[in-house]
Amino acid sequence: MAVHRSGPLKQQNKAHKGGRHRGRGSAQRDGKGRVAVKVLSKKARKELSRVDQRHRASQLRKQKKEAVLAEKRQLGSKDGPPHQVLLVPLHGRVSLGEALQLLQDTDKKVVPVGEQAGMPSFMLLCPQLKHRWFFTSAMPGDLHTVLDLAKVADTILFILDPVEGWDSTGDYCLSCLFAHGLPTYSLAIQGVGGLLPKKQADAKKKLSKALEKRFPGDRLLHLDTPQDAVVLLRQLANQKQRHLAFRDRRSYLFAHAADFVPSQESSLVGTLKVSGYVRGQTFNVNRLLHIVGHGDFQIRQIDAPTDPFPLNPRVIKASRDSDVAMQIDTAEADGAAEMEEDLKVLVKADPARQESLQSEVVPDPMEGEQTWPTEEELNEAKDFSKEETKVVKKVPRGTSSYQAEWIVDEEDGSSGEEKEEEDDDDAEAEDFMEEENSEAEGSEEECETMTLGESVRDDQYDEKIDEEAEEQMLEKYKQERLDEMFPDEVDTPRDIAARIRFQKYRGLKSFRTSPWDPKENLPQDYARIFQFEDFSRTRKRIFKEIGEKESEGAEVGWFVTLHVCGVPASVGESFRQGAPLVMFSLLPHEQKMSVLNMVVRRHPGNLEPVKSKEEMIFHCGFRRFRASPLYSQHTAADKHKAERFLRSDVALVVTVYAPITFPPASVLLFKQKPDGKHSLIATGSLLSMDPDRMVIKRLVLSGHPFKILTKMAVVRYMFFNREDVLWFKPVELRTKWGRRGHIKEPLGTHGHMKCTFDGQLKSQDTVLMNLYKRVFPKWTYDPYVPEPLPWSKDETSPELEVDME
């Protein structure tokens, strides 16, 4: 009897899915004892009902609303600091004196304070609104004054022209303020009533279109009559305050009065008594004080005088019986006077808790020196040498094992003097494009003579041109163009051996993955700086202490007098001349020097070439200093390629030696021109405080294939002697068309070499060799920045013309 057997093509039905219908036992068997992650890591949460969730959300909204209202009521009240308003006219036709006079004629009590930056400042008291204002002003051409006052101003009032809004100087000032960080601001227009009724509507439409670019969605107020001034004051009082992070975590003070008391030893240094209102955080007497533009100092004591600008001054009525009032016991009067003297001193500095002014580490020249070894160490060294034999070479101290392989036994490989290699590399690369540069120079001269107008006389035009500055600028343009066309390429020198010229460079198999120890061969300046084990953790801890701990000292809103010791006499002299005096209390470690890294982007209105290690003026948060920075690429790798010029198409990282500053903080880079004016170069923010961030300079040597045979080629003009070819033989080669290879052997004595590649080489290809070296910034930190010359109303810089177009 034949039995039917199913063939290989028999239909196979899918098995029944029992996922949702499994029992508890089968699920436990499949799990094999595993427990859910939620049970292990998280506790069982109490789920709130819908009513409780709505109640909790309403409570959170109520708390936030009360916090905003409390902040509004605190600012300008009798218990808080006065509402500081900075007036900035953005056009030359705006009359700043008329605007200040309208604000004073609002039937309020006006108390003149003095002059700041040559402009009158006054206190405006309004008991009806329960508010008091402190008005200061600055011209947009005076950059230092505008930026210093913007650091402490609660509100900036921009005054616009009804026709044009702002001119070139006002646009330049707005660019700096936006990059620096704007507090609360308002817009006021002056002079609308002076226009014809038909032109008023057109002027408003044109101005509103211009405002959409800079101030989208902001309300425009008028400032032509006293009624407009009252409306403006109410707007300023009820406006929501915007916060600047770098000043909300620090206590700061704007000086209303300052008195310099010279010391007994020298009249050039003494104690500065500064009076003003505490803002931001509680003022701790043991913390250091930074005076913007002058440096860091210690505070000796804090006094608490009476508030000179009370909102509701108490009226003391005279007694009817004047004879009885005059009969005061002299002993009681002396006791009251002594008590009053004791009450004036709020707090004194504790020498045990006061922070030191030490900003640098004093390096010990004997640190790291080898002492005489003991017998145990000698025996361990003998055992270790038996286990592993190595070739012993005489190398400089601090040289890694990787670099030791590159050092020969002869001592003729070291040069006696160090050169500025960056300048030499750029100078050597110029000969390659000499003919093209000469043609470009001739075309530029022809273009210049053709564009001159007929109304401009040649003799007057030439008087304003500095020929030396023109030649230097042309040289920079040539170097920048060469670096863009042939990045990092240099010509091998013929007067000195390449193994000596490039002895500090090394080759890397891969720039991204090859190891590089960040602690090897550090310069002597690194012994003077401070470094955190974990900067982000320290920053979080300090910010957490600021938010949670209640520090002792002068509370926000108090009128105090600070006794700052060790201050130069020039600080008091500059205040008497009208310069504003702005002070910030430093957080722990912020007086110490370290390596700052900042992310910046080139300002679109400035096209001038900026070379690496050129001196720049930095506005970093509340600090202002001069330094010579390095530029490098902003990447996520552990090594970052150095840039010879500040590029305009990408964001770069600026590296300098400077005092520690905890981010966030805005960064502005200025360059001082030969005429004394400051030009905005780049803007950005503070990135990190990391001395281990490696900035690697790349150097590319180029050669040309002479004879090509399949995957082998003879390359010349990369080196000019046989010893250099043998020296750089371990370094990998690459070509511009993507081939990779190695040096096989030298040919002859003139630098020709036989090379092998991974594919057929083209005759028009170029053979390249990449060499790398870590570079460090120069120690050129200078806290003193000279005052820039203000921009005139009728003057427009070439950078601003490009930006406006």
Side-chain angles (χ1 to χ4, degrees), residues 208-219:
S208 62
K209 289 182 180 180
L211 290 176
E212 284 297 325
K213 298 180 181 179
R214 285 282 191 181
F215 309 97
D218 289 329
R219 182 184 175 188

Side-chain angles (χ1 to χ4, degrees), residues 196-206:
L196 296 176
K198 295 182 179 180
K199 293 186 178 181
Q200 290 183 5
D202 296 338
K204 288 182 180 179
K205 288 182 181 180
K206 186 178 179 181

Side-chain angles (χ1 to χ4, degrees), residues 22-34:
R22 288 189 305 172
R24 186 170 58 182
S26 62
Q28 290 178 355
R29 284 193 300 271
D30 294 341
K32 295 181 181 180
R34 290 192 293 261

Side-chain angles (χ1 to χ4, degrees), residues 12 26 160 222 280 282 291 305-306 345 356 417 474 479 485 579-580 607 667 734 760:
Q12 298 289 339
S26 62
L160 310 175
H222 293 266
T282 302
I291 302 179
T306 57
V345 179
S356 173
E417 58 182 11
L474 179 61
Q479 295 177 7
M485 297 175 62
L607 302 177
V667 174
R734 69 177 181 90
Q760 178 73 31

Side-chain angles (χ1 to χ4, degrees), residues 661-687:
T661 304
F662 291 101
S666 59
V667 174
L668 280 77
L669 268 68
F670 290 88
K671 184 178 179 181
Q672 186 169 358
K673 293 187 173 183
D675 55 0
K677 298 173 183 177
H678 292 178
S679 176
L680 181 62
I681 301 295
T683 60
S685 60
L686 184 60
L687 176 63

Side-chain angles (χ1 to χ4, degrees), residues 176-190:
C176 298
L177 285 174
F178 272 93
H180 176 268
L182 269 182
T184 308
Y185 63 88
S186 295
L187 305 175
I189 183 172
Q190 186 188 65

Side-chain angles (χ1 to χ4, degrees), residues 106-156:
T106 52
D107 297 333
K108 310 292 188 302
K109 184 179 179 181
V110 178
V111 181
V113 176
E115 287 192 359
Q116 299 292 338
M119 299 293 176
S121 58
F122 58 91
M123 192 76 67
L124 190 63
L125 307 177
C126 181
Q128 292 81 8
L129 295 177
K130 299 181 180 180
H131 210 86
R132 54 179 175 174
W133 290 269
F134 175 61
F135 286 93
T136 58
S137 56
M139 300 304 295
D142 193 356
L143 280 179
H144 276 6
T145 303
V146 172
L147 293 177
D148 288 349
L149 291 176
K151 288 179 173 66
V152 294
D154 298 312
T155 303
I156 299 180

